[in-house]
Amino acid sequence: MDEETGLITCPWPVEPIPGNEYLSRHVLASGLIKESGRRFPSESDFILRETEDGLSHYWNRHISLEDIYITIALTHNAKGAYKEYTSFKIFQIENNYIKSLNDSLKVEHNPAFFGNPAPVGSPNNRSHSLVIFPKVEEEELLQIRINLATFCQKNYETSYREFDVKSIKEKVVHLREKTNDTPYHRLEHH
Amino acid sequence: MNMTKTMIEPLEDKTQWGRRTIYLHDNIDDHHHKSRNQKLAIDEDDNGYLLAIPYQPIETWKKSIVITEEDEILKPIWSFSTQEIYKEGDWGYYRIPQKEKDISKILSKIEDEIKHSSYILDLEVGWDGEEAKIITPEIYNSSIQFLRTYSQYIFQHLGEIIIRSPEINPGRDGSIDLSWITENARMLINIKEYQGHPHVFFYGDHHENKNPLKGNIPAVDFEEALAVWMKKLV
């Protein structure tokens, strides 16, 4: 995302992400889709949707693990309902590793600013960053995906960011009641 | 059982058909393996299956046919013997040898994963909690047919090797992933719509990007070199 989108000016600068810093990604982990005994995360957790410019991540420098979950909880899904934040798990990968997967792969800070206040269902997110897959043949994207999944599986203890989602239940209820009058939507309180 | 062809003649009243009522989809038209959807009759004896369908010259057929049982997911039968076809009136009779009939039992772990994956067809838009696309029956069925075709081919023609079962996972972009991680190798196969038809993209290596194999083919095609490489997935 550019610093300026339409008439909304992003207050946060786009910053270079140092190689030794970490990016987190939320991955669905519920119900039939993820069962015990299956590899997790899987390669399919790193597929781009057609409408996406890159794989969305959170830059750890600008967001805590709790705030990642709250940001998810305050975001609407395709049906206009709040996302079920308890269904997601968070994995982190060092920027240097991501960039090493392909010479043309880019990792860009891409702060998501939707307004002050941001609309209900679209909280602002300074940490938002994109892993932009290069314009290469599809098979090379498979190689990138299989490497991302393998990395998280092999380094599960350091890559997986465990969090007690029950601990924020009341906070999420309270924030949702406030619609977009929250620190996650309003700059002055953030 | 000493079966005669008259026992399996298709009937309008399906309660009088052979042991099972099934549907056959052939590969007559490229990219449209479900272009002909015909009821047929099937019976079985100690020598395998016997199918009866409205006759069509064998040269119009491709190697694989796909049979679906009612309320079940696709169950293909691979490369039946052409010598054992005979014609009577408007009906053609096809023999599928016992060996091929048994393959689905030999490859039972793959069949288990296929059964497990059938939930994919029930996924709705946004199934990932976000904006994921649905997986169309065409993409899902192509993926399952691909998996069965290659696993059966490797067993039948490449030394009776039984490859490991992959994980079958849905993709947020409406595609299907078949994923193997074994001691010797790893492979990711993605089936998605490409130029209006199901297409197979594949990448495999001997771990850590060593000796990679990559490429793509239309889902209706068969790539011998890919099957040979997949022998490592044990």
Side-chain angles (χ1 to χ4, degrees):
Chain A
M1 185 184 295
D2 295 327
E3 278 197 45
E4 190 169 293
T5 303
L7 297 175
I8 302 173
T9 302
C10 181
W12 303 303
V14 172
E15 302 169 73
I17 304 175
N20 62 352
E21 296 206 17
Y22 282 78
L23 297 156
S24 292
R25 177 163 171 78
H26 67 250
V27 172
L28 182 72
S30 66
L32 278 171
I33 296 170
K34 302 297 172 197
E35 295 175 349
S36 62
R38 298 177 76 81
R39 284 180 275 113
F40 182 68
S42 71
E43 297 82 0
S44 57
D45 292 316
F46 298 96
I47 288 181
L48 266 186
R49 283 191 299 266
E50 289 168 354
T51 54
E52 291 177 320
D53 297 326
L55 276 182
S56 288
H57 285 72
Y58 306 86
W59 179 7
N60 289 7
R61 175 190 284 192
H62 289 300
I63 194 166
S64 67
L65 184 54
E66 177 177 307
D67 276 350
I68 289 177
Y69 275 100
I70 291 174
T71 299
I72 296 169
L74 297 179
T75 302
H76 282 174
N77 62 22
K79 294 178 179 175
Y82 283 117
K83 289 182 182 177
E84 183 45 68
Y85 64 99
T86 60
S87 300
F88 292 91
K89 293 193 181 299
I90 311 299
F91 287 85
Q92 64 179 3
I93 308 179
E94 191 184 58
N95 187 22
N96 274 334
Y97 178 76
I98 298 173
K99 290 191 294 187
S100 73
L101 295 175
N102 188 289
D103 291 341
S104 307
L105 192 148
K106 290 180 182 174
V107 181
E108 293 182 356
H109 183 213
N110 179 247
F113 185 74
F114 301 108
N116 185 19
V120 178
S122 300
N124 295 317
N125 177 9
R126 182 177 182 179
S127 79
H128 185 253
S129 303
L130 288 174
V131 174
I132 300 171
F133 286 179
K135 302 291 182 194
V136 294
E137 292 183 347
E138 197 74 25
E139 300 88 291
E140 288 193 51
L141 298 183
L142 298 186
Q143 184 179 9
I144 293 172
R145 288 204 285 122
I146 203 170
N147 280 326
L148 284 169
T150 302
F151 178 87
C152 291
Q153 292 158 16
K154 280 189 173 176
N155 301 281
Y156 194 85
E157 288 191 0
T158 53
S159 181
Y160 173 53
R161 303 183 70 190
E162 190 170 4
F163 183 73
D164 178 14
V165 289
K166 291 176 186 169
S167 68
I168 58 169
K169 184 178 177 182
E170 288 181 12
K171 191 172 184 179
V172 167
V173 170
H174 177 67
L175 287 166
R176 284 176 174 174
E177 284 172 350
K178 296 182 73 170
T179 62
N180 64 345
D181 186 19
T182 81
Y184 300 88
H185 299 80
R186 289 188 177 278
L187 272 182
E188 58 267 32
H189 301 141
H190 207 32
Chain B
M1 183 173 64
N2 185 18
M3 184 174 59
T4 68
K5 60 181 180 294
T6 55
M7 291 176 63
I8 61 163
E9 185 172 340
L11 301 171
E12 285 303 312
D13 179 0
K14 66 181 183 182
T15 62
Q16 296 181 50
W17 288 13
R19 288 190 186 178
R20 293 189 297 175
T21 302
I22 58 178
Y23 293 81
L24 179 142
H25 315 275
D26 63 44
N27 279 347
I28 289 171
D29 299 319
D30 278 353
H31 310 302
H32 292 282
H33 66 266
K34 293 174 77 173
S35 60
R36 295 190 187 186
N37 184 350
Q38 300 164 317
K39 291 180 181 177
L40 68 147
I42 185 169
D43 208 337
E44 59 186 318
D45 60 13
D46 293 340
N47 295 317
Y49 288 120
L50 193 59
L51 306 178
I53 62 169
Y55 175 77
Q56 50 203 359
I58 192 65
E59 58 268 22
T60 65
W61 290 74
K62 290 198 170 181
K63 273 185 173 179
S64 62
I65 61 174
V66 176
I67 291 172
T68 64
E69 296 187 66
E70 287 178 329
D71 302 323
E72 288 190 22
I73 54 177
L74 291 179
K75 182 172 286 186
I77 297 176
W78 166 256
S79 68
F80 54 87
S81 168
T82 57
Q83 286 79 23
E84 296 187 51
I85 294 174
Y86 55 93
K87 178 176 181 289
E88 186 173 288
D90 294 331
W91 293 95
Y93 294 85
Y94 301 76
R95 165 68 72 184
I96 297 170
Q98 179 70 25
K99 183 179 176 186
E100 295 177 25
K101 175 183 157 187
D102 289 342
I103 281 182
S104 62
K105 292 176 186 170
I106 293 167
L107 301 171
S108 61
K109 289 193 175 173
I110 289 175
E111 291 299 323
D112 289 345
E113 176 67 11
I114 289 171
K115 279 182 186 167
H116 172 271
S117 74
S118 61
Y119 77 91
I120 290 173
L121 285 171
D122 297 327
L123 295 175
E124 298 177 348
V125 171
W127 54 263
D128 64 343
E130 300 183 302
E131 292 90 27
K133 294 172 71 174
I134 62 161
I135 315 299
T136 66
E138 187 177 28
I139 291 298
Y140 177 77
N141 292 334
S142 293
S143 306
I144 299 305
Q145 186 176 2
F146 173 92
L147 175 58
R148 284 190 169 130
T149 297
Y150 278 78
S151 58
Q152 291 173 13
Y153 182 88
I154 292 164
F155 179 78
Q156 286 181 294
H157 303 287
L158 300 177
E160 299 202 340
I161 290 172
I162 300 172
I163 63 169
R164 291 261 294 271
S165 175
E167 287 189 5
I168 304 172
N169 289 314
R172 304 185 306 150
D173 60 350
S175 67
I176 292 273
D177 272 352
L178 308 177
S179 165
W180 287 264
I181 305 275
T182 72
E183 195 173 319
N184 302 318
R186 56 183 189 165
M187 171 158 263
L188 179 59
I189 291 176
N190 181 251
I191 298 94
K192 65 195 295 185
E193 187 176 305
Y194 177 69
Q195 296 180 343
H197 304 292
H199 203 84
V200 175
F201 298 88
F202 55 89
Y203 172 85
D205 63 30
H206 292 178
H207 293 292
E208 299 178 348
N209 307 310
K210 293 173 187 165
N211 304 319
L213 172 83
K214 49 186 153 185
N216 67 87
I217 52 170
V220 294
D221 288 356
F222 181 77
E223 178 61 53
E224 168 86 12
L226 176 57
V228 170
W229 199 95
M230 288 173 70
K231 286 165 58 182
K232 300 180 178 78
L233 301 173
V234 292

